[in-house]
Amino acid sequence: MKNSNISWTKSTWNPWIGCRKVSKACKFCYMHRILEKGGSNPNTVVKSIGSFNAPLKWEKGRKIFTCSMSDFFIEEADKWREEIWEIIKQTRQHTYLILTKRPERIKDNLPNDWNSENYPHVWIGVTVEDQESVSRIHYLDEFGCNVKWVSFEPLLGEVYLTGKELSIIDWAVIGGESGNKKGKYQFRKSELSWFLSLMYQFEKEDTPYFFKQFGTWYHYNQFKLKDWKGEKQCENFPKSFETRQYPKIYNYGKTINQ
């Protein structure tokens, strides 16, 4: 999708769609909700013929959330990933944001010429929803990358990070869970104290973070926010949660803050 409604990116790109649930965060996955509504099987990973080469057609540089409707490192996509890495390498005007819940597969599925000089425009991150899943962060320390990031969304429990874990993270996204009041895809409440704890930890280390949304629970039950995800900042949006920072990275001779 050339233009995305996800607030921390400009576009989304899905060279393949479909995924299998592997963690607590996957329970009410929006991808499953969207594909089931459209009559497709979300558990089947298929190549997206129409959008496979999309970034080659986008001349102007943009932040691209890669595989928003799947997992970039899922096993079923091994046969296509080498070609995708080549597209990414050719389009250095873009910044590619890759997020995975399969961090144990990252290192072995990077391109053979992987390094920060050949792929300075790629940010690789993991999802962490609770303390149990913090171990995913350690996989980011196995390879070099200009920006290593963590999405704490949906946040399902309080998270305490060690000094080592904080030193690995260059950028973080924080948010609650969105969903429906009834039916198969609902939502769970994130406590404000969980958000605040993470925000304090990152502020103490001077690590940039992006507070994305409170989640649907706060939209209905506490703040009466403008949108159902509890994201759009408005007069009811608590001021202390308005921080939306990006990492400053050095890319082709200039510092950018996209």
Side-chain angles (χ1 to χ4, degrees), residues 85 88-96 113-124 144-148 248-254 256 258:
W85 278 125
I88 290 173
K89 187 177 180 180
Q90 291 178 26
T91 52
R92 298 191 184 190
Q93 73 271 26
H94 303 314
T95 300
Y96 292 90
D113 63 344
W114 175 266
N115 60 49
S116 296
E117 291 185 2
N118 288 337
Y119 299 88
H121 56 311
V122 177
W123 303 0
I124 296 182
C145 184
N146 268 0
V147 175
K148 299 176 181 181
K248 290 183 178 181
I249 63 171
Y250 191 78
N251 190 9
Y252 300 100
K254 64 179 181 179
I256 62 173
Q258 296 187 41

PDB file of all heavy atoms in Angstrom, residues 85 88-96 113-124 144-148 248-254 256 258:
ATOM      1  N   TRP A  85      15.216  -9.313  -0.907  1.00  0.00           N
ATOM      2  CA  TRP A  85      16.429  -8.623  -0.450  1.00  0.00           C
ATOM      3  C   TRP A  85      17.065  -7.846  -1.606  1.00  0.00           C
ATOM      4  O   TRP A  85      17.601  -6.740  -1.410  1.00  0.00           O
ATOM      5  CB  TRP A  85      17.423  -9.618   0.121  1.00  0.00           C
ATOM      6  CG  TRP A  85      17.187 -10.040   1.544  1.00  0.00           C
ATOM      7  CD1 TRP A  85      17.051 -11.316   2.016  1.00  0.00           C
ATOM      8  CD2 TRP A  85      17.070  -9.186   2.699  1.00  0.00           C
ATOM      9  NE1 TRP A  85      16.851 -11.311   3.386  1.00  0.00           N
ATOM     10  CE2 TRP A  85      16.869 -10.018   3.820  1.00  0.00           C
ATOM     11  CE3 TRP A  85      17.122  -7.807   2.887  1.00  0.00           C
ATOM     12  CZ2 TRP A  85      16.709  -9.508   5.116  1.00  0.00           C
ATOM     13  CZ3 TRP A  85      16.960  -7.293   4.174  1.00  0.00           C
ATOM     14  CH2 TRP A  85      16.760  -8.136   5.266  1.00  0.00           C
ATOM     15  N   ILE A  88      15.121  -4.673  -2.116  1.00  0.00           N
ATOM     16  CA  ILE A  88      15.461  -3.740  -1.027  1.00  0.00           C
ATOM     17  C   ILE A  88      16.815  -3.087  -1.288  1.00  0.00           C
ATOM     18  O   ILE A  88      16.986  -1.868  -1.115  1.00  0.00           O
ATOM     19  CB  ILE A  88      15.452  -4.486   0.320  1.00  0.00           C
ATOM     20  CG1 ILE A  88      14.017  -4.854   0.715  1.00  0.00           C
ATOM     21  CG2 ILE A  88      16.114  -3.643   1.414  1.00  0.00           C
ATOM     22  CD1 ILE A  88      13.913  -5.736   1.951  1.00  0.00           C
ATOM     23  N   LYS A  89      17.783  -3.885  -1.715  1.00  0.00           N
ATOM     24  CA  LYS A  89      19.127  -3.358  -1.977  1.00  0.00           C
ATOM     25  C   LYS A  89      19.116  -2.332  -3.104  1.00  0.00           C
ATOM     26  O   LYS A  89      19.866  -1.344  -3.070  1.00  0.00           O
ATOM     27  CB  LYS A  89      20.067  -4.513  -2.310  1.00  0.00           C
ATOM     28  CG  LYS A  89      21.525  -4.101  -2.425  1.00  0.00           C
ATOM     29  CD  LYS A  89      22.407  -5.304  -2.683  1.00  0.00           C
ATOM     30  CE  LYS A  89      23.871  -4.898  -2.791  1.00  0.00           C
ATOM     31  NZ  LYS A  89      24.756  -6.065  -3.043  1.00  0.00           N
ATOM     32  N   GLN A  90      18.274  -2.555  -4.104  1.00  0.00           N
ATOM     33  CA  GLN A  90      18.219  -1.658  -5.263  1.00  0.00           C
ATOM     34  C   GLN A  90      17.522  -0.338  -4.960  1.00  0.00           C
ATOM     35  O   GLN A  90      17.690   0.634  -5.705  1.00  0.00           O
ATOM     36  CB  GLN A  90      17.488  -2.356  -6.416  1.00  0.00           C
ATOM     37  CG  GLN A  90      18.222  -3.507  -7.046  1.00  0.00           C
ATOM     38  CD  GLN A  90      17.391  -4.163  -8.133  1.00  0.00           C
ATOM     39  OE1 GLN A  90      16.519  -3.541  -8.747  1.00  0.00           O
ATOM     40  NE2 GLN A  90      17.649  -5.445  -8.366  1.00  0.00           N
ATOM     41  N   THR A  91      16.729  -0.284  -3.911  1.00  0.00           N
ATOM     42  CA  THR A  91      15.891   0.899  -3.643  1.00  0.00           C
ATOM     43  C   THR A  91      16.330   1.572  -2.341  1.00  0.00           C
ATOM     44  O   THR A  91      15.597   1.614  -1.362  1.00  0.00           O
ATOM     45  CB  THR A  91      14.414   0.496  -3.564  1.00  0.00           C
ATOM     46  OG1 THR A  91      14.276  -0.596  -2.630  1.00  0.00           O
ATOM     47  CG2 THR A  91      13.897   0.040  -4.915  1.00  0.00           C
ATOM     48  N   ARG A  92      17.523   2.132  -2.383  1.00  0.00           N
ATOM     49  CA  ARG A  92      18.085   2.727  -1.167  1.00  0.00           C
ATOM     50  C   ARG A  92      17.482   4.087  -0.844  1.00  0.00           C
ATOM     51  O   ARG A  92      17.822   4.688   0.172  1.00  0.00           O
ATOM     52  CB  ARG A  92      19.609   2.835  -1.303  1.00  0.00           C
ATOM     53  CG  ARG A  92      20.278   1.478  -1.457  1.00  0.00           C
ATOM     54  CD  ARG A  92      21.769   1.575  -1.312  1.00  0.00           C
ATOM     55  NE  ARG A  92      22.413   0.300  -1.550  1.00  0.00           N
ATOM     56  CZ  ARG A  92      23.699   0.060  -1.295  1.00  0.00           C
ATOM     57  NH1 ARG A  92      24.458   1.017  -0.795  1.00  0.00           N
ATOM     58  NH2 ARG A  92      24.215  -1.121  -1.544  1.00  0.00           N
ATOM     59  N   GLN A  93      16.620   4.578  -1.706  1.00  0.00           N
ATOM     60  CA  GLN A  93      15.921   5.822  -1.377  1.00  0.00           C
ATOM     61  C   GLN A  93      14.880   5.590  -0.282  1.00  0.00           C
ATOM     62  O   GLN A  93      14.433   6.537   0.373  1.00  0.00           O
ATOM     63  CB  GLN A  93      15.252   6.421  -2.620  1.00  0.00           C
ATOM     64  CG  GLN A  93      14.004   5.694  -3.123  1.00  0.00           C
ATOM     65  CD  GLN A  93      14.314   4.582  -4.113  1.00  0.00           C
ATOM     66  OE1 GLN A  93      15.404   4.022  -4.090  1.00  0.00           O
ATOM     67  NE2 GLN A  93      13.363   4.292  -5.003  1.00  0.00           N
ATOM     68  N   HIS A  94      14.482   4.336  -0.089  1.00  0.00           N
ATOM     69  CA  HIS A  94      13.481   3.998   0.928  1.00  0.00           C
ATOM     70  C   HIS A  94      14.148   3.559   2.230  1.00  0.00           C
ATOM     71  O   HIS A  94      15.317   3.175   2.247  1.00  0.00           O
ATOM     72  CB  HIS A  94      12.586   2.858   0.433  1.00  0.00           C
ATOM     73  CG  HIS A  94      11.876   3.136  -0.847  1.00  0.00           C
ATOM     74  ND1 HIS A  94      11.220   4.321  -1.100  1.00  0.00           N
ATOM     75  CD2 HIS A  94      11.717   2.366  -1.971  1.00  0.00           C
ATOM     76  CE1 HIS A  94      10.681   4.281  -2.303  1.00  0.00           C
ATOM     77  NE2 HIS A  94      10.975   3.110  -2.854  1.00  0.00           N
ATOM     78  N   THR A  95      13.371   3.598   3.307  1.00  0.00           N
ATOM     79  CA  THR A  95      13.790   3.024   4.581  1.00  0.00           C
ATOM     80  C   THR A  95      12.837   1.885   4.892  1.00  0.00           C
ATOM     81  O   THR A  95      11.623   2.089   4.972  1.00  0.00           O
ATOM     82  CB  THR A  95      13.745   4.067   5.712  1.00  0.00           C
ATOM     83  OG1 THR A  95      14.629   5.145   5.391  1.00  0.00           O
ATOM     84  CG2 THR A  95      14.178   3.450   7.034  1.00  0.00           C
ATOM     85  N   TYR A  96      13.366   0.677   5.050  1.00  0.00           N
ATOM     86  CA  TYR A  96      12.549  -0.513   5.259  1.00  0.00           C
ATOM     87  C   TYR A  96      12.523  -0.889   6.742  1.00  0.00           C
ATOM     88  O   TYR A  96      13.562  -1.125   7.355  1.00  0.00           O
ATOM     89  CB  TYR A  96      13.093  -1.682   4.437  1.00  0.00           C
ATOM     90  CG  TYR A  96      12.920  -1.485   2.946  1.00  0.00           C
ATOM     91  CD1 TYR A  96      13.911  -0.861   2.193  1.00  0.00           C
ATOM     92  CD2 TYR A  96      11.760  -1.899   2.306  1.00  0.00           C
ATOM     93  CE1 TYR A  96      13.751  -0.660   0.826  1.00  0.00           C
ATOM     94  CE2 TYR A  96      11.588  -1.707   0.939  1.00  0.00           C
ATOM     95  CZ  TYR A  96      12.583  -1.086   0.207  1.00  0.00           C
ATOM     96  OH  TYR A  96      12.415  -0.886  -1.139  1.00  0.00           O
ATOM     97  N   ASP A 113      25.537 -10.723   1.501  1.00  0.00           N
ATOM     98  CA  ASP A 113      26.348  -9.501   1.558  1.00  0.00           C
ATOM     99  C   ASP A 113      25.852  -8.531   2.623  1.00  0.00           C
ATOM    100  O   ASP A 113      26.086  -7.331   2.537  1.00  0.00           O
ATOM    101  CB  ASP A 113      26.367  -8.820   0.189  1.00  0.00           C
ATOM    102  CG  ASP A 113      24.988  -8.361  -0.265  1.00  0.00           C
ATOM    103  OD1 ASP A 113      23.978  -8.835   0.315  1.00  0.00           O
ATOM    104  OD2 ASP A 113      24.906  -7.530  -1.188  1.00  0.00           O
ATOM    105  N   TRP A 114      25.172  -9.063   3.630  1.00  0.00           N
ATOM    106  CA  TRP A 114      24.599  -8.201   4.665  1.00  0.00           C
ATOM    107  C   TRP A 114      25.679  -7.467   5.450  1.00  0.00           C
ATOM    108  O   TRP A 114      26.615  -8.066   5.972  1.00  0.00           O
ATOM    109  CB  TRP A 114      23.751  -9.010   5.640  1.00  0.00           C
ATOM    110  CG  TRP A 114      23.241  -8.168   6.784  1.00  0.00           C
ATOM    111  CD1 TRP A 114      23.822  -8.003   8.013  1.00  0.00           C
ATOM    112  CD2 TRP A 114      22.079  -7.341   6.774  1.00  0.00           C
ATOM    113  NE1 TRP A 114      23.092  -7.132   8.773  1.00  0.00           N
ATOM    114  CE2 TRP A 114      22.008  -6.703   8.039  1.00  0.00           C
ATOM    115  CE3 TRP A 114      21.091  -7.083   5.823  1.00  0.00           C
ATOM    116  CZ2 TRP A 114      20.978  -5.825   8.376  1.00  0.00           C
ATOM    117  CZ3 TRP A 114      20.068  -6.197   6.160  1.00  0.00           C
ATOM    118  CH2 TRP A 114      20.013  -5.588   7.410  1.00  0.00           C
ATOM    119  N   ASN A 115      25.560  -6.170   5.522  1.00  0.00           N
ATOM    120  CA  ASN A 115      26.305  -5.317   6.455  1.00  0.00           C
ATOM    121  C   ASN A 115      25.658  -3.946   6.421  1.00  0.00           C
ATOM    122  O   ASN A 115      24.790  -3.663   5.595  1.00  0.00           O
ATOM    123  CB  ASN A 115      27.808  -5.250   6.107  1.00  0.00           C
ATOM    124  CG  ASN A 115      28.078  -4.706   4.725  1.00  0.00           C
ATOM    125  OD1 ASN A 115      27.556  -3.664   4.327  1.00  0.00           O
ATOM    126  ND2 ASN A 115      28.903  -5.422   3.946  1.00  0.00           N
ATOM    127  N   SER A 116      26.057  -3.099   7.327  1.00  0.00           N
ATOM    128  CA  SER A 116      25.422  -1.782   7.460  1.00  0.00           C
ATOM    129  C   SER A 116      25.720  -0.864   6.287  1.00  0.00           C
ATOM    130  O   SER A 116      25.015   0.118   6.071  1.00  0.00           O
ATOM    131  CB  SER A 116      25.869  -1.126   8.774  1.00  0.00           C
ATOM    132  OG  SER A 116      25.408  -1.880   9.875  1.00  0.00           O
ATOM    133  N   GLU A 117      26.774  -1.159   5.513  1.00  0.00           N
ATOM    134  CA  GLU A 117      27.081  -0.341   4.350  1.00  0.00           C
ATOM    135  C   GLU A 117      26.199  -0.711   3.163  1.00  0.00           C
ATOM    136  O   GLU A 117      25.750   0.157   2.417  1.00  0.00           O
ATOM    137  CB  GLU A 117      28.560  -0.496   3.974  1.00  0.00           C
ATOM    138  CG  GLU A 117      29.517   0.124   4.986  1.00  0.00           C
ATOM    139  CD  GLU A 117      30.958   0.041   4.516  1.00  0.00           C
ATOM    140  OE1 GLU A 117      31.190  -0.464   3.400  1.00  0.00           O
ATOM    141  OE2 GLU A 117      31.840   0.483   5.266  1.00  0.00           O
ATOM    142  N   ASN A 118      25.959  -1.999   2.983  1.00  0.00           N
ATOM    143  CA  ASN A 118      25.114  -2.433   1.863  1.00  0.00           C
ATOM    144  C   ASN A 118      23.626  -2.226   2.129  1.00  0.00           C
ATOM    145  O   ASN A 118      22.845  -2.048   1.197  1.00  0.00           O
ATOM    146  CB  ASN A 118      25.372  -3.909   1.566  1.00  0.00           C
ATOM    147  CG  ASN A 118      26.720  -4.152   0.924  1.00  0.00           C
ATOM    148  OD1 ASN A 118      27.293  -3.256   0.312  1.00  0.00           O
ATOM    149  ND2 ASN A 118      27.243  -5.362   1.075  1.00  0.00           N
ATOM    150  N   TYR A 119      23.249  -2.273   3.408  1.00  0.00           N
ATOM    151  CA  TYR A 119      21.827  -2.148   3.777  1.00  0.00           C
ATOM    152  C   TYR A 119      21.652  -1.130   4.909  1.00  0.00           C
ATOM    153  O   TYR A 119      21.081  -1.444   5.958  1.00  0.00           O
ATOM    154  CB  TYR A 119      21.275  -3.514   4.193  1.00  0.00           C
ATOM    155  CG  TYR A 119      21.342  -4.548   3.101  1.00  0.00           C
ATOM    156  CD1 TYR A 119      22.475  -5.341   2.934  1.00  0.00           C
ATOM    157  CD2 TYR A 119      20.280  -4.721   2.213  1.00  0.00           C
ATOM    158  CE1 TYR A 119      22.548  -6.282   1.911  1.00  0.00           C
ATOM    159  CE2 TYR A 119      20.352  -5.660   1.188  1.00  0.00           C
ATOM    160  CZ  TYR A 119      21.485  -6.434   1.045  1.00  0.00           C
ATOM    161  OH  TYR A 119      21.553  -7.361   0.034  1.00  0.00           O
ATOM    162  N   PRO A 120      22.111   0.096   4.708  1.00  0.00           N
ATOM    163  CA  PRO A 120      21.993   1.108   5.772  1.00  0.00           C
ATOM    164  C   PRO A 120      20.558   1.574   5.987  1.00  0.00           C
ATOM    165  O   PRO A 120      20.233   2.196   6.997  1.00  0.00           O
ATOM    166  CB  PRO A 120      22.860   2.258   5.250  1.00  0.00           C
ATOM    167  CG  PRO A 120      22.745   2.136   3.759  1.00  0.00           C
ATOM    168  CD  PRO A 120      22.715   0.650   3.488  1.00  0.00           C
ATOM    169  N   HIS A 121      19.698   1.259   5.019  1.00  0.00           N
ATOM    170  CA  HIS A 121      18.321   1.733   5.012  1.00  0.00           C
ATOM    171  C   HIS A 121      17.338   0.691   5.541  1.00  0.00           C
ATOM    172  O   HIS A 121      16.125   0.829   5.354  1.00  0.00           O
ATOM    173  CB  HIS A 121      17.924   2.146   3.599  1.00  0.00           C
ATOM    174  CG  HIS A 121      18.097   1.064   2.575  1.00  0.00           C
ATOM    175  ND1 HIS A 121      19.244   0.311   2.442  1.00  0.00           N
ATOM    176  CD2 HIS A 121      17.251   0.595   1.610  1.00  0.00           C
ATOM    177  CE1 HIS A 121      19.097  -0.549   1.456  1.00  0.00           C
ATOM    178  NE2 HIS A 121      17.891  -0.407   0.936  1.00  0.00           N
ATOM    179  N   VAL A 122      17.840  -0.353   6.197  1.00  0.00           N
ATOM    180  CA  VAL A 122      16.987  -1.409   6.740  1.00  0.00           C
ATOM    181  C   VAL A 122      17.030  -1.371   8.264  1.00  0.00           C
ATOM    182  O   VAL A 122      18.097  -1.408   8.870  1.00  0.00           O
ATOM    183  CB  VAL A 122      17.443  -2.797   6.238  1.00  0.00           C
ATOM    184  CG1 VAL A 122      16.579  -3.887   6.867  1.00  0.00           C
ATOM    185  CG2 VAL A 122      17.364  -2.869   4.714  1.00  0.00           C
ATOM    186  N   TRP A 123      15.857  -1.270   8.871  1.00  0.00           N
ATOM    187  CA  TRP A 123      15.719  -1.346  10.329  1.00  0.00           C
ATOM    188  C   TRP A 123      15.071  -2.685  10.658  1.00  0.00           C
ATOM    189  O   TRP A 123      14.019  -3.025  10.109  1.00  0.00           O
ATOM    190  CB  TRP A 123      14.825  -0.237  10.864  1.00  0.00           C
ATOM    191  CG  TRP A 123      15.242   1.166  10.525  1.00  0.00           C
ATOM    192  CD1 TRP A 123      16.336   1.568   9.796  1.00  0.00           C
ATOM    193  CD2 TRP A 123      14.555   2.374  10.885  1.00  0.00           C
ATOM    194  NE1 TRP A 123      16.372   2.944   9.689  1.00  0.00           N
ATOM    195  CE2 TRP A 123      15.291   3.462  10.351  1.00  0.00           C
ATOM    196  CE3 TRP A 123      13.400   2.631  11.612  1.00  0.00           C
ATOM    197  CZ2 TRP A 123      14.898   4.781  10.526  1.00  0.00           C
ATOM    198  CZ3 TRP A 123      13.000   3.946  11.784  1.00  0.00           C
ATOM    199  CH2 TRP A 123      13.746   5.019  11.258  1.00  0.00           C
ATOM    200  N   ILE A 124      15.677  -3.455  11.531  1.00  0.00           N
ATOM    201  CA  ILE A 124      15.136  -4.766  11.887  1.00  0.00           C
ATOM    202  C   ILE A 124      14.719  -4.763  13.359  1.00  0.00           C
ATOM    203  O   ILE A 124      15.475  -4.338  14.237  1.00  0.00           O
ATOM    204  CB  ILE A 124      16.154  -5.892  11.622  1.00  0.00           C
ATOM    205  CG1 ILE A 124      16.436  -5.977  10.116  1.00  0.00           C
ATOM    206  CG2 ILE A 124      15.629  -7.227  12.145  1.00  0.00           C
ATOM    207  CD1 ILE A 124      17.398  -7.083   9.724  1.00  0.00           C
ATOM    208  N   GLY A 144      24.815  -7.010  12.850  1.00  0.00           N
ATOM    209  CA  GLY A 144      24.882  -5.562  12.779  1.00  0.00           C
ATOM    210  C   GLY A 144      23.704  -4.994  12.007  1.00  0.00           C
ATOM    211  O   GLY A 144      23.207  -5.612  11.072  1.00  0.00           O
ATOM    212  N   CYS A 145      23.278  -3.811  12.397  1.00  0.00           N
ATOM    213  CA  CYS A 145      22.152  -3.151  11.730  1.00  0.00           C
ATOM    214  C   CYS A 145      22.134  -1.698  12.190  1.00  0.00           C
ATOM    215  O   CYS A 145      22.374  -1.413  13.374  1.00  0.00           O
ATOM    216  CB  CYS A 145      20.849  -3.851  12.097  1.00  0.00           C
ATOM    217  SG  CYS A 145      19.383  -3.221  11.255  1.00  0.00           S
ATOM    218  N   ASN A 146      21.846  -0.777  11.278  1.00  0.00           N
ATOM    219  CA  ASN A 146      21.852   0.642  11.638  1.00  0.00           C
ATOM    220  C   ASN A 146      20.830   0.979  12.703  1.00  0.00           C
ATOM    221  O   ASN A 146      21.082   1.794  13.592  1.00  0.00           O
ATOM    222  CB  ASN A 146      21.606   1.504  10.401  1.00  0.00           C
ATOM    223  CG  ASN A 146      22.906   1.921   9.740  1.00  0.00           C
ATOM    224  OD1 ASN A 146      23.987   1.574  10.187  1.00  0.00           O
ATOM    225  ND2 ASN A 146      22.794   2.670   8.653  1.00  0.00           N
ATOM    226  N   VAL A 147      19.645   0.391  12.600  1.00  0.00           N
ATOM    227  CA  VAL A 147      18.598   0.616  13.600  1.00  0.00           C
ATOM    228  C   VAL A 147      17.981  -0.721  13.999  1.00  0.00           C
ATOM    229  O   VAL A 147      17.428  -1.436  13.158  1.00  0.00           O
ATOM    230  CB  VAL A 147      17.490   1.558  13.077  1.00  0.00           C
ATOM    231  CG1 VAL A 147      16.358   1.667  14.106  1.00  0.00           C
ATOM    232  CG2 VAL A 147      18.053   2.939  12.777  1.00  0.00           C
ATOM    233  N   LYS A 148      18.105  -1.036  15.280  1.00  0.00           N
ATOM    234  CA  LYS A 148      17.443  -2.215  15.847  1.00  0.00           C
ATOM    235  C   LYS A 148      16.314  -1.709  16.730  1.00  0.00           C
ATOM    236  O   LYS A 148      16.531  -0.858  17.597  1.00  0.00           O
ATOM    237  CB  LYS A 148      18.432  -3.046  16.664  1.00  0.00           C
ATOM    238  CG  LYS A 148      19.601  -3.567  15.837  1.00  0.00           C
ATOM    239  CD  LYS A 148      20.613  -4.305  16.703  1.00  0.00           C
ATOM    240  CE  LYS A 148      21.783  -4.801  15.865  1.00  0.00           C
ATOM    241  NZ  LYS A 148      22.789  -5.544  16.673  1.00  0.00           N
ATOM    242  N   LYS A 248      17.559   8.961  14.977  1.00  0.00           N
ATOM    243  CA  LYS A 248      18.354   9.729  14.028  1.00  0.00           C
ATOM    244  C   LYS A 248      19.411   8.785  13.458  1.00  0.00           C
ATOM    245  O   LYS A 248      20.190   8.203  14.190  1.00  0.00           O
ATOM    246  CB  LYS A 248      19.019  10.920  14.709  1.00  0.00           C
ATOM    247  CG  LYS A 248      18.041  12.000  15.125  1.00  0.00           C
ATOM    248  CD  LYS A 248      18.762  13.179  15.733  1.00  0.00           C
ATOM    249  CE  LYS A 248      17.789  14.288  16.096  1.00  0.00           C
ATOM    250  NZ  LYS A 248      18.463  15.464  16.683  1.00  0.00           N
ATOM    251  N   ILE A 249      19.415   8.633  12.162  1.00  0.00           N
ATOM    252  CA  ILE A 249      20.373   7.717  11.540  1.00  0.00           C
ATOM    253  C   ILE A 249      21.170   8.449  10.470  1.00  0.00           C
ATOM    254  O   ILE A 249      20.720   9.442   9.902  1.00  0.00           O
ATOM    255  CB  ILE A 249      19.676   6.492  10.928  1.00  0.00           C
ATOM    256  CG1 ILE A 249      18.730   6.917   9.813  1.00  0.00           C
ATOM    257  CG2 ILE A 249      18.942   5.698  11.988  1.00  0.00           C
ATOM    258  CD1 ILE A 249      18.162   5.753   9.026  1.00  0.00           C
ATOM    259  N   TYR A 250      22.336   7.951  10.230  1.00  0.00           N
ATOM    260  CA  TYR A 250      23.199   8.531   9.199  1.00  0.00           C
ATOM    261  C   TYR A 250      23.037   7.720   7.931  1.00  0.00           C
ATOM    262  O   TYR A 250      23.304   6.526   7.912  1.00  0.00           O
ATOM    263  CB  TYR A 250      24.664   8.517   9.653  1.00  0.00           C
ATOM    264  CG  TYR A 250      25.565   9.322   8.757  1.00  0.00           C
ATOM    265  CD1 TYR A 250      25.612  10.704   8.850  1.00  0.00           C
ATOM    266  CD2 TYR A 250      26.344   8.685   7.799  1.00  0.00           C
ATOM    267  CE1 TYR A 250      26.447  11.439   8.022  1.00  0.00           C
ATOM    268  CE2 TYR A 250      27.178   9.422   6.964  1.00  0.00           C
ATOM    269  CZ  TYR A 250      27.219  10.791   7.081  1.00  0.00           C
ATOM    270  OH  TYR A 250      28.039  11.528   6.251  1.00  0.00           O
ATOM    271  N   ASN A 251      22.567   8.352   6.887  1.00  0.00           N
ATOM    272  CA  ASN A 251      22.249   7.633   5.654  1.00  0.00           C
ATOM    273  C   ASN A 251      22.716   8.443   4.445  1.00  0.00           C
ATOM    274  O   ASN A 251      22.174   9.506   4.152  1.00  0.00           O
ATOM    275  CB  ASN A 251      20.746   7.384   5.583  1.00  0.00           C
ATOM    276  CG  ASN A 251      20.374   6.437   4.468  1.00  0.00           C
ATOM    277  OD1 ASN A 251      21.241   5.832   3.847  1.00  0.00           O
ATOM    278  ND2 ASN A 251      19.093   6.312   4.214  1.00  0.00           N
ATOM    279  N   TYR A 252      23.744   7.950   3.778  1.00  0.00           N
ATOM    280  CA  TYR A 252      24.268   8.584   2.585  1.00  0.00           C
ATOM    281  C   TYR A 252      24.647  10.046   2.801  1.00  0.00           C
ATOM    282  O   TYR A 252      24.246  10.935   2.068  1.00  0.00           O
ATOM    283  CB  TYR A 252      23.266   8.446   1.421  1.00  0.00           C
ATOM    284  CG  TYR A 252      23.026   7.001   1.125  1.00  0.00           C
ATOM    285  CD1 TYR A 252      21.895   6.354   1.597  1.00  0.00           C
ATOM    286  CD2 TYR A 252      23.976   6.253   0.434  1.00  0.00           C
ATOM    287  CE1 TYR A 252      21.706   5.013   1.363  1.00  0.00           C
ATOM    288  CE2 TYR A 252      23.779   4.914   0.203  1.00  0.00           C
ATOM    289  CZ  TYR A 252      22.657   4.285   0.666  1.00  0.00           C
ATOM    290  OH  TYR A 252      22.468   2.948   0.452  1.00  0.00           O
ATOM    291  N   GLY A 253      25.438  10.272   3.837  1.00  0.00           N
ATOM    292  CA  GLY A 253      26.039  11.582   4.031  1.00  0.00           C
ATOM    293  C   GLY A 253      25.185  12.613   4.736  1.00  0.00           C
ATOM    294  O   GLY A 253      25.593  13.764   4.881  1.00  0.00           O
ATOM    295  N   LYS A 254      24.007  12.253   5.186  1.00  0.00           N
ATOM    296  CA  LYS A 254      23.186  13.242   5.872  1.00  0.00           C
ATOM    297  C   LYS A 254      22.410  12.581   7.014  1.00  0.00           C
ATOM    298  O   LYS A 254      22.033  11.416   6.948  1.00  0.00           O
ATOM    299  CB  LYS A 254      22.228  13.951   4.926  1.00  0.00           C
ATOM    300  CG  LYS A 254      21.172  13.041   4.301  1.00  0.00           C
ATOM    301  CD  LYS A 254      20.253  13.857   3.394  1.00  0.00           C
ATOM    302  CE  LYS A 254      19.175  12.982   2.767  1.00  0.00           C
ATOM    303  NZ  LYS A 254      18.272  13.745   1.912  1.00  0.00           N
ATOM    304  N   ILE A 256      19.158  12.028   9.009  1.00  0.00           N
ATOM    305  CA  ILE A 256      17.717  12.165   8.744  1.00  0.00           C
ATOM    306  C   ILE A 256      16.926  11.793   9.966  1.00  0.00           C
ATOM    307  O   ILE A 256      17.344  10.990  10.781  1.00  0.00           O
ATOM    308  CB  ILE A 256      17.286  11.304   7.550  1.00  0.00           C
ATOM    309  CG1 ILE A 256      17.530   9.792   7.838  1.00  0.00           C
ATOM    310  CG2 ILE A 256      17.988  11.709   6.286  1.00  0.00           C
ATOM    311  CD1 ILE A 256      16.962   8.891   6.776  1.00  0.00           C
ATOM    312  N   GLN A 258      13.274  10.788   9.934  1.00  0.00           N
ATOM    313  CA  GLN A 258      12.076  10.613   9.101  1.00  0.00           C
ATOM    314  C   GLN A 258      10.818  10.540   9.936  1.00  0.00           C
ATOM    315  O   GLN A 258      10.734   9.785  10.861  1.00  0.00           O
ATOM    316  CB  GLN A 258      12.233   9.337   8.288  1.00  0.00           C
ATOM    317  CG  GLN A 258      13.397   9.412   7.315  1.00  0.00           C
ATOM    318  CD  GLN A 258      13.450   8.217   6.386  1.00  0.00           C
ATOM    319  OE1 GLN A 258      12.441   7.735   5.894  1.00  0.00           O
ATOM    320  NE2 GLN A 258      14.624   7.700   6.147  1.00  0.00           N
TER     321      GLN A 258
END
